Amino acid sequence: MLNAWHLPVAPFVQKGEQKLTITLWLAGDELPEKVVLRGEKDNEEISVVMVRQKSAPQEGVVAWKGAIDTAEGQPRRRYSFKLLWQDRQRWYTPQGFRSTPPARLEQFAIDSPDDGPTWVQDQVFYQIFPDRFARGKKRGPEQDNVYFHHAAGHEIVRREWDEALTADAGGSTFYGGDLDGISENLPYLKKLGVTALYLNPIFTAPSVHKYDTQDYRQVDKQFGGNSAFLRLRESTRKLGVKLVLDGVFNHSGDTHAWFDRHQQSDNGACHNPGSPWRDWYSFSQEGKALDWLGYSSLPKLDFRSATLVDEIYRGEQSIVRHWLREPWGIDGWRLDVVHMLGEAGGAKNNLLHVSGITRAAKETRQDAYVLGEHFGDARQWLQADAEDAAMNYRGFTFPLWGFLANTDISYEPQHIDAQTCMAWMEEYRSALSHQQQLRMFNQLDSHDTARFKSILGKDVARLPLAVIWLYAWPGVPCVYYGDEVGLDGNNDPFCRKPFPWNKQDQDLSLLALYQRLGKLRKQSRALRQGGCRVVYAEGDVVVFARVYQNERVLVAINRGEAITVTLPWDALLSGRAWAHLEGEGVLDNRELTLPAVSASVWRSL
């Protein structure tokens, strides 16, 4: 049997001046006579004969080395390994051995040079739905004005923080969370290990969720207005906390002056065919505005209009550039339903405009982070470098739901075993460069899904397994506010409950787990920047290792009954001394004993 080891990180990839030295480890009874490194230069395939090394990295392992020239060509270096015998050949790729040459997007990929936002991979993000996180101590009465919410057909509802959330008036119910409340609780977030914030929309809008933008250039007064945002920005900078805002550019709200359904002036596109903003929206032959998914309060923006393109992203004073510049200086944009953005009421020329948004962001702030919201397959946008990363529903959240909660995104039954789960996750990430994998936005849940605690139902004991997985899998973890203290809730609006600040309402053992994992991730370069190798995946058990230079972090997940498994011999793991960091599992050489429904973590330096 032939075994192979390669990950697109040190010690398998060494960066030199104008070259990458690539190493492949092989072990087995019948080693190949020749190994060829298949690379490419400006999309053209090239072959480099690798050299068998005289010294072995360890007993029983043979190393082969080759080099990729980085002096020219595109920065995304794709490669795979062609193993040759006298009468046959095999190929080695991120998904293992195969008999036929791999497709271009099925190969290892590393960005050299990497011009992406390298700071992202070192973060722990925290997502805040502003109205529901915390009320500022100095909140003024003007922030609690009651007004008529046209889309709902009634006045908004104001509730006290400890009042129960109901299904009534979901988009019109306000609890009074604001930006000063976030500023005041930054010490709590720092203790949690949070280093970056992602805020749901904060710009002026009539609903509580504020995806129905009324003014892209003003922070909503309910949240404290522009002055509160400046205070938050100053506070985050003092603590070294990054800040990403939600960009809703697929549609505006119908109360925006550009559209003006309720005729606050005479210039709105809704009723005035001569409006300067008329071509910023799409209209049917009958004159009805095309909206987003049947929500009439969310008219679609039409990027056929050159003036709209200038206003949103291209112009020097565009909205995208405005908030990236001082004094705001945000660190990036999360782009809402960005795969649907486009021309003529649909997604025509979508990649053109998404790339344009990203390009404008990078021109304004070189290290800006641009991530897209994609519930489906985001790889089309990522492989085209239209975005830095995506919310990793398809590559992380959904397979994890299937394995631990036996449900899919539609909350319908999905029973998968460990092997299926790992095949799903590995297949998805293998099509991305290593740096893209590290910047993917991993979450257990969000404002658009039920809380994972509620999804688990009777299997809620599996929740800590998911938390450990979140912090250990390639990508940047993002904690949805309240998850760390056991906040539950089914679909909207119940996934948006107020944060329970009373200690008696918090799961303090779960909070302690999040805090420990935040510290561990900060201490471990392997968890932040390392490659990932699945060591074992059968039945109820998943074991994977994160690798960077000489550091290894081994993670074991067992969703089922207590079990002892024998791990296959692995050159990356053998002969090491392991420090047990989390959980109650026992690792004795290759014998792994795991309690029922448990997760354990070991580290070796």
Side-chain angles (χ1 to χ4, degrees):
M1 180 178 179
L2 186 64
N3 289 311
W5 294 266
H6 178 80
L7 296 171
V9 294
F12 296 99
V13 175
Q14 298 290 341
K15 294 185 179 181
E17 189 172 342
Q18 298 188 335
K19 74 174 182 179
L20 293 175
T21 299
I22 308 294
T23 302
L24 174 69
W25 291 359
L26 294 173
D29 297 329
E30 194 175 357
L31 295 173
E33 300 167 10
K34 182 180 178 180
V35 178
V36 175
L37 177 63
R38 183 274 186 203
E40 61 182 37
K41 177 183 174 183
D42 291 331
N43 303 328
E44 177 69 15
E45 291 190 17
I46 58 173
S47 296
V48 176
V49 176
M50 302 186 77
V51 177
R52 179 169 173 163
Q53 303 300 291
K54 294 180 180 179
S55 59
Q58 65 183 74
E59 186 177 354
V61 177
V62 175
W64 295 75
K65 287 192 176 184
I68 293 177
D69 181 9
T70 58
E72 53 187 351
Q74 296 184 103
R76 180 145 305 143
R77 316 293 172 171
R78 301 186 188 276
Y79 60 94
S80 56
F81 303 96
K82 184 180 185 180
L83 282 57
L84 292 163
W85 291 263
Q86 190 170 359
D87 58 350
R88 69 187 191 281
Q89 64 178 250
R90 295 176 78 183
W91 292 77
Y92 186 68
T93 73
Q95 296 187 65
F97 288 111
R98 53 183 297 152
S99 300
T100 57
R104 182 167 179 265
L105 298 180
E106 294 176 348
Q107 303 186 66
F108 295 101
I110 186 168
D111 295 331
S112 184
D114 176 19
D115 59 0
T118 55
W119 58 268
V120 172
Q121 62 201 22
D122 293 326
Q123 309 306 309
V124 173
F125 270 85
Y126 192 82
Q127 179 189 350
I128 294 178
F129 194 83
D131 182 70
R132 306 291 164 82
F133 182 63
R135 285 178 67 105
K137 294 177 182 177
K138 297 181 179 179
R139 184 176 177 86
E142 73 281 357
Q143 293 178 248
D144 289 322
N145 289 335
V146 173
Y147 55 87
F148 190 81
H149 186 189
H150 287 92
H154 55 72
E155 289 190 332
I156 64 166
V157 177
R158 290 287 182 188
R159 286 190 175 155
E160 295 300 317
W161 203 259
D162 57 355
E163 283 189 73
L165 182 65
T166 69
D168 298 330
S172 305
T173 299
F174 290 81
Y175 282 83
D178 55 28
L179 300 187
D180 284 328
I182 299 173
S183 294
E184 292 163 9
N185 286 284
L186 285 175
Y188 162 80
L189 295 176
K190 287 295 287 185
K191 186 176 180 181
L192 182 62
V194 169
T195 60
L197 300 181
Y198 151 48
L199 306 185
N200 286 110
I202 64 171
F203 304 127
T204 303
S207 72
V208 69
H209 55 74
K210 307 212 175 294
Y211 284 96
D212 50 345
T213 313
Q214 184 172 314
D215 189 337
Y216 287 98
R217 296 182 184 270
Q218 298 295 324
V219 174
D220 201 298
K221 292 181 180 179
Q222 296 169 95
F223 294 158
N226 290 357
S227 59
F229 184 54
L230 281 174
R231 289 192 293 273
L232 175 61
R233 196 67 194 102
E234 182 181 359
S235 298
T236 53
R237 282 173 162 162
K238 284 181 180 178
L239 293 174
V241 173
K242 303 288 188 178
L243 184 59
V244 171
L245 294 185
D246 213 328
V248 189
F249 305 132
N250 171 71
H251 52 266
S252 75
D254 64 354
T255 60
H256 199 295
W258 301 341
F259 193 78
D260 192 22
R261 182 185 299 279
H262 308 294
Q263 293 185 279
Q264 301 301 304
S265 71
D266 296 327
N267 288 330
C270 182
H271 303 289
N272 182 3
S275 167
W277 305 300
R278 182 74 175 188
D279 69 344
W280 290 20
Y281 299 90
S282 297
F283 291 85
S284 67
Q285 291 182 344
E286 294 76 28
K288 180 182 178 182
L290 303 184
D291 56 42
W292 180 68
L293 297 183
Y295 293 98
S296 60
S297 61
L298 304 176
K300 278 269 292 184
L301 291 167
D302 189 344
F303 282 79
R304 285 182 297 184
S305 169
T307 53
L308 174 67
V309 169
D310 285 340
E311 173 68 14
I312 297 294
Y313 69 84
R314 188 171 57 195
E316 280 302 310
Q317 304 304 318
S318 69
I319 294 161
V320 166
R321 298 181 194 269
H322 173 76
W323 295 102
L324 287 163
R325 290 195 177 111
E326 297 301 327
W328 322 104
I330 68 170
D331 296 291
W333 287 103
R334 177 264 193 188
L335 303 178
D336 182 61
V337 292
V338 68
H339 53 287
M340 301 184 75
L341 179 152
E343 302 174 3
K348 184 178 180 181
N349 285 329
N350 174 266
L351 273 175
L352 172 69
H353 296 294
V354 178
S355 298
I357 291 172
T358 299
R359 185 167 54 253
K362 305 290 186 182
E363 288 171 355
T364 309
R365 183 175 182 135
Q366 188 175 3
D367 65 347
Y369 180 39
V370 181
L371 71 145
E373 180 202 21
H374 301 272
F375 272 82
D377 190 345
R379 290 174 294 183
Q380 174 184 351
W381 290 264
L382 298 170
Q383 289 160 352
D385 289 317
E387 305 161 349
D388 292 314
M391 300 184 78
N392 202 12
Y393 289 110
R394 183 60 65 94
F396 176 79
T397 312
F398 297 161
L400 187 143
W401 282 15
F403 182 68
L404 292 180
N406 303 125
T407 189
D408 68 6
I409 181 55
S410 301
Y411 308 103
E412 295 171 342
Q414 183 177 44
H415 295 267
I416 60 176
D417 60 15
Q419 189 173 12
T420 303
C421 180
M422 286 295 92
W424 181 349
M425 296 174 85
E426 288 289 271
E427 186 273 334
Y428 193 85
R429 74 182 184 92
S430 67
L432 306 177
S433 76
H434 175 66
Q435 287 88 346
Q436 287 178 315
Q437 293 177 34
L438 298 180
R439 290 192 277 264
M440 291 296 279
F441 206 73
N442 294 340
Q443 293 182 278
L444 300 180
D445 47 31
S446 73
H447 67 292
D448 283 324
T449 73
R451 297 268 181 175
F452 188 62
K453 180 178 181 180
S454 295
I455 293 170
L456 284 168
K458 63 180 177 60
D459 292 318
V460 70
R462 294 177 176 177
L463 181 56
L465 283 60
V467 177
I468 289 174
W469 209 332
L470 173 68
Y471 277 75
W473 194 251
V476 57
C478 180
V479 180
Y480 183 40
Y481 82 97
D483 274 0
E484 75 277 14
V485 294
L487 194 59
D488 62 3
N490 289 315
N491 279 340
D492 176 22
F494 298 104
C495 58
R496 305 172 182 181
K497 293 179 181 178
F499 189 99
W501 286 108
N502 292 326
K503 293 286 187 184
Q504 60 266 31
D505 297 326
Q506 298 180 2
D507 184 337
L508 297 181
S509 63
L510 182 63
L511 175 61
L513 174 62
Y514 272 93
Q515 291 171 336
R516 292 195 303 273
L517 292 171
K519 290 178 181 177
L520 173 58
R521 184 175 168 86
K522 184 177 180 179
Q523 295 165 356
S524 172
R525 196 167 180 181
L527 288 181
R528 303 193 314 273
Q529 301 177 25
C532 182
R533 180 176 174 88
V534 176
V535 178
Y536 182 94
E538 290 186 22
D540 295 325
V541 177
V542 168
V543 182
F544 61 89
R546 298 295 303 278
V547 176
Y548 193 89
Q549 293 180 340
N550 198 46
E551 183 190 3
R552 311 283 186 268
V553 176
L554 188 68
V555 180
I557 309 286
N558 176 26
R559 70 177 181 184
E561 300 297 324
I563 191 173
T564 297
V565 301
T566 301
L567 300 179
W569 180 83
D570 194 294
L572 286 172
L573 307 179
S574 66
R576 287 179 162 268
W578 295 93
H580 185 243
L581 301 180
E582 193 65 53
E584 299 178 356
V586 176
L587 178 62
D588 183 9
N589 196 9
R590 288 163 52 198
E591 294 296 313
L592 187 57
T593 302
L594 302 174
V597 191
S598 67
S600 297
V601 181
W602 295 263
R603 187 183 184 202
S604 173
L605 296 173

